Amino acid sequence: MFYKKIIYVWAIFNCCVVYTQSVSDVFQKLGKQYSIAKPLQYRSSYALYKDFDSKKIEESYNGTFYKNELNEVYMKIGDSEILNSKKVFLKINHSEKAIQILNPVANYLGDFDMKPLLDLCKIEKFLDYKTYWEITLITKPYSSLPYSKIVVQITKHYFLQKQIFYYNTAINFSKDYRNPDSHYPRLEVTNTNYSRNPVSASFFNSNTYFTISDKKQIVLSERLKKYEILD
């Protein structure tokens, strides 16, 4: 009987190790797919729901991701633009008419390094479907993540197909402070139209957004000239 228990425990432990290694392998190959020195572009859609199981979309917006062969990245998410080139990192918020200009961020590729999630989360499920894997992660106690659960779908070509984030903090959806409407929302991000075709170099050229004058001052482009420059 004792021998059978030892075998049983060993079998469970061995399965868990293989399970974790499989997820790690998928995440590792996912990161390589995005960091390889080739152009990449795709479209994104963001849908925010009030509750974990809501079917009605409360808020939605679209996004675009462009990367060139130098691993310079341009993203547009809703009314915001982000550029990380070899020369500069900038973030533009069109609704607030503001632009932030900083030094470039090394190895900036958005949120595609999934390895840190394995430190902050435990794997609840790892399902293998015909065209994609689905990994469900539960955040560990005292994690700094604002989510209780994250579901990630990764295609068999190692691209992010979908991400679902379940928030662990309530958000007030009411515009009237006297009548709060707090919920634990769910955010779904869906990526489509993946392509390795190159995009216009203007997206990665800092001169598209600003130039430096002879007096070493920042001069914003015509479309951004009325924007506030943030430190």
Side-chain angles (χ1 to χ4, degrees):
M1 182 65 71
F2 180 76
Y3 173 78
K4 290 183 178 180
K5 287 183 178 180
I6 293 295
I7 295 296
Y8 177 72
V9 171
W10 177 87
I12 293 177
F13 175 77
N14 191 54
C15 289
C16 290
V17 171
V18 172
Y19 189 67
T20 304
Q21 287 177 340
S22 298
V23 172
S24 298
D25 184 59
V26 171
F27 281 167
Q28 183 180 24
K29 291 180 180 178
L30 170 75
K32 287 182 179 180
Q33 187 70 291
Y34 284 87
S35 61
I36 190 172
K38 291 181 180 180
L40 177 65
Q41 58 175 295
Y42 61 87
R43 305 289 180 182
S44 299
S45 63
Y46 298 77
L48 182 67
Y49 300 82
K50 271 189 177 182
D51 297 294
F52 286 5
D53 56 354
S54 297
K55 298 187 182 300
K56 178 185 176 183
I57 298 175
E58 195 67 23
E59 183 180 348
S60 64
Y61 47 97
N62 295 318
T64 304
F65 177 94
Y66 296 143
K67 183 178 79 71
N68 63 15
E69 67 279 1
L70 299 176
N71 279 341
E72 295 176 311
V73 172
Y74 168 87
M75 291 188 290
K76 190 175 189 303
I77 305 173
D79 63 357
S80 295
E81 293 180 74
I82 296 173
L83 168 68
N84 190 66
S85 70
K86 298 298 182 182
K87 295 181 178 180
V88 67
F89 175 89
L90 64 84
K91 185 174 182 179
I92 306 169
N93 189 313
H94 292 290
S95 62
E96 297 180 2
K97 295 189 179 301
I99 180 170
Q100 188 175 28
I101 303 174
L102 303 169
N103 292 326
V105 179
N107 300 318
Y108 181 87
L109 284 173
D111 296 325
F112 308 114
D113 184 5
M114 310 296 281
K115 292 180 182 178
L117 282 179
L118 297 180
D119 295 327
L120 300 172
C121 304
K122 63 179 181 179
I123 303 164
E124 184 183 57
K125 294 179 183 177
F126 179 38
L127 303 176
D128 189 344
Y129 292 97
K130 185 176 181 180
T131 58
Y132 66 93
W133 293 282
E134 183 175 277
I135 302 166
T136 301
L137 303 163
I138 303 296
T139 55
K140 295 178 180 178
Y142 311 111
S143 166
S144 59
L145 293 175
Y147 317 110
S148 60
K149 182 170 71 172
I150 303 171
V151 178
V152 181
Q153 293 180 358
I154 300 172
T155 72
K156 294 300 177 72
H157 296 290
Y158 299 102
F159 287 119
L160 277 174
Q161 174 175 283
K162 192 171 187 177
Q163 296 164 281
I164 308 174
F165 302 92
Y166 297 84
Y167 285 76
N168 59 16
T169 54
I171 294 179
N172 183 14
F173 286 87
S174 176
K175 296 181 180 179
D176 183 357
Y177 70 92
R178 295 168 298 183
N179 297 296
D181 183 27
S182 297
H183 297 263
Y184 290 87
R186 177 180 94 254
L187 174 65
E188 296 190 2
V189 184
T190 305
N191 302 321
T192 58
N193 297 356
Y194 277 93
S195 171
R196 287 292 185 184
N197 294 330
V199 297
S200 172
S202 64
F203 285 104
F204 311 101
N205 188 347
S206 59
N207 290 340
T208 302
Y209 311 95
F210 70 93
T211 56
I212 303 296
S213 70
D214 295 337
K215 297 181 180 180
K216 305 298 180 181
Q217 294 179 329
I218 296 173
V219 180
L220 297 179
S221 64
E222 184 65 24
R223 73 183 179 102
L224 302 172
K225 66 179 183 180
K226 294 183 179 180
Y227 283 40
E228 177 186 4
I229 300 176
L230 304 176
D231 294 331

